[in-house]
Amino acid sequence: MEGLFAARTAAAPGEDEDRSAREPAGAALPLSQRAEPAAGQGTAPDAAAPPAPDTARALALSDVIAPKARAGETLIRMAYRLGVPRQALAAPFRRPTPLRVLATVEQAAPGDRAAGTALRAGHFFVQGVKQPIATLDVTGSTRLAPGLERAVHSFSWLADLAASAPRADCAPVAERIAALWLDAHPAPARGPAWDVELAGLRLMAWLVHAPLVLSGHDPKLKPRLLAAIDDTADWLDRKAASSGAGLGQVAGWAGVTAAGLLLPEGRPRRLYGEAGLIRALGDLVGEDGGVLARCPAAQMDAIRLLTDLIACYEATGIEPPQALFVMRELLVPPLLALRHGDGGLGSWQGQPALDAHRLAALIEASGVRARPLADTEHWGFHRLRGGQTQVQFDAAPPPRARHARCGCASTLAFEMSDGPTRLIVNCGGAALAGALVPARIGQGLRASAAHSTLVLDNANSTAVELHGKLGRGVEAVEVERRLLGENGREGTRIEASHDGYAARFGLTHRRVLSLRADGTELAGEDILVPAGRKGKRGRIAFAIRFHLGRGIEARLSEDGRGASLLTEGGKLWQFRLRGDSAAAGDVSLVIEDSLWVDGEGRPHPTEQLVIEGLTSRGGGQFSWLLRKTG
């Protein structure tokens, strides 16, 4: 069965036996056993990760928490799948109930208040770009920027509008945009608007925010929108199962389930949707709760979807399947593991540095109280922590083609923060190309060179292809993590290697990171090892890139083998080349231009440190040190 990657993890000395020997595979674990200690309960760095099994697979929730279904419900579900009308199954001897939304949904996931305020002012505000409503083309004949297209056709803007003002002030704006969209899309068809993911999100938005668009200010709109809701639900009944695995299929099944809850005679549809949804969730998420797309934004979208759907259950008084609660609880801890000291997320898999406010609002709406997950060997993002310093390390291959959304060649890249200051980052923002991030550089932002890692001959460790897909490259990553000193009092060490350059250059890249327990020193080694028994002849160019956070002022030392990094808060870090790499005449340290994309999609000019030169095809070792000195 396909999993995220095949990884081998060596256990730390004195570590507990493999967790898989004591727990059933794929079981939902209590969060207290899977999360790292809460802040303030000790200063020791993260515990060492337990050994990973030989293979990782998608978490099959239907194997763990099967939805309770009586024999009659199973027959109803089967009959509905075969095309028996809802009316015949739900109420065969009654007249059809007039089409309406049966309940008002409360406690849904919050939207973006600033974007909602912009809508009330007459324009969309998506990823930093303003688009007047009056000149917006929603027909699909002209392709919009990806972010704007998603917002318009998914109707995610309804949540933003609802968060900006009382319903009476927002309803006219919602009705205006909804009418424009219905004029352009009177029936299901082809095109961007009828992507399964967008159709599922749109149906969810219509049902969750029905009072906003069905409040009656426009008497002609209500019957049109109710008909569109019914048509979209029928369309998703047929299309949800045929869409590819991932968030799109989950969104399609979530829309089907929500329609079964909130539309008349919906019980057959609800039972049908629940079964499909739980299967789709099993294909979306790995065993430790990280989505197989390895994308923080997709992780947030999944949490938001489940939060809205559970709110639909609560509005109708129907008990949700336990699998939905367990899945939401699994999704939150891995996401928290990607938070930096400022509360925002790292820049991974094409996403920008999503801001702390948006993340905190979503977690609060979910109602899940959890700590960051410490054991992320399947998702692949490892977290080192010491004092105020946090390091995020990508120790896994990129996502498989069927799961990739905006796949990036980021294997063995890392990010580092000191309190609220981001010191080392990845560029991020490839998924936002076409808005403030120019479309022409979107492909480059997915490259290995846009991440803080080693690059050979200016080539990507995994081939970057069009439309967010990835080609050949990294297939296996080996990881070893252990504590330094007794009970980790000296720090944490993690070592990982990948085979992305083995086929082309005959070299394996191994990276070692060691973080002191007090967070004042990060020592690193980048090692090139021959992939075969004999190394190849000749030399090859390499570059080890360290993209600096916004506001970091870098200055090279007089000997050219180090640099000072001054933060906006006045903290000083020193970067130094160490060992043989510092003395080699063909290795140099330079400062180059870079850019970093913030949570609003705005690119900012920054700088990067680059260790560059030529190395033997028989291998090489390059050591460096980041030390806090003030």
Side-chain angles (χ1 to χ4, degrees), residues 83-291:
V84 178
R86 300 191 307 278
Q87 173 68 22
L89 294 170
F93 304 111
R94 294 204 306 259
R95 293 182 179 179
T97 304
L99 187 61
R100 62 190 179 91
V101 178
L102 299 176
T104 299
V105 178
E106 305 289 348
Q107 305 301 321
D112 185 339
R113 184 176 181 180
T117 301
L119 284 169
R120 292 170 53 223
H123 56 266
F124 281 89
F125 184 69
V126 180
Q127 297 173 358
V129 175
K130 293 182 179 180
Q131 169 63 52
I133 298 172
T135 59
L136 180 66
D137 181 7
V138 298
T139 62
S141 58
T142 302
R143 291 302 297 265
L144 305 173
L148 180 61
E149 182 176 85
R150 181 179 178 84
V152 169
H153 294 310
S154 71
F155 274 64
S156 62
W157 54 267
L158 279 174
D160 301 334
L161 195 58
S164 69
R167 184 185 302 166
D169 297 335
C170 299
V173 179
E175 291 179 350
R176 174 192 176 191
I177 302 174
L180 288 173
W181 192 92
L182 290 173
D183 289 341
H185 304 278
R190 295 184 178 181
W194 295 100
D195 173 81
V196 169
E197 180 175 341
L198 296 185
L201 293 173
R202 180 168 65 248
L203 181 57
M204 285 285 294
W206 282 341
L207 293 169
V208 169
H209 299 285
L212 202 56
V213 286
L214 298 175
S215 57
H217 291 80
D218 183 352
K220 297 181 180 178
L221 177 64
K222 184 175 181 178
R224 292 177 64 201
L225 188 54
L226 285 173
I229 289 173
D230 195 41
D231 290 344
T232 304
D234 288 342
W235 185 83
L236 284 172
D237 283 344
R238 303 187 303 272
K239 298 293 185 179
S242 61
S243 62
L247 187 65
Q249 190 175 70
V250 170
W253 283 117
V256 170
T257 306
L261 288 164
L262 294 169
L263 296 181
E265 284 90 37
R267 183 166 175 256
R269 173 179 276 155
R270 173 176 63 82
L271 295 174
Y272 172 63
E274 286 174 350
L277 176 61
I278 292 173
R279 287 194 302 271
L281 286 169
D283 289 335
L284 175 75
V285 178
E287 291 185 5
D288 53 15
V291 295

Side-chain angles (χ1 to χ4, degrees), residues 477-540:
V477 174
E478 297 183 357
V479 185
E480 177 185 349
R481 178 172 178 153
R482 60 187 176 90
L483 301 178
L484 301 176
E486 184 179 357
N487 297 323
R489 291 182 179 179
E490 295 182 12
T492 306
R493 181 184 189 273
I494 185 168
E495 177 178 342
S497 63
H498 76 73
D499 60 354
Y501 293 122
R504 284 170 287 178
F505 306 123
L507 292 169
T508 296
H509 175 210
R510 179 182 301 160
R511 169 164 274 185
V512 182
L513 300 177
S514 300
L515 180 66
R516 283 185 54 170
D518 61 5
T520 59
E521 185 174 293
L522 178 69
E525 290 181 89
D526 286 287
I527 307 167
L528 294 171
V529 181
R533 293 184 177 181
K534 295 183 180 180
K536 295 183 179 181
R537 295 182 178 181
R539 312 182 84 186
I540 188 171

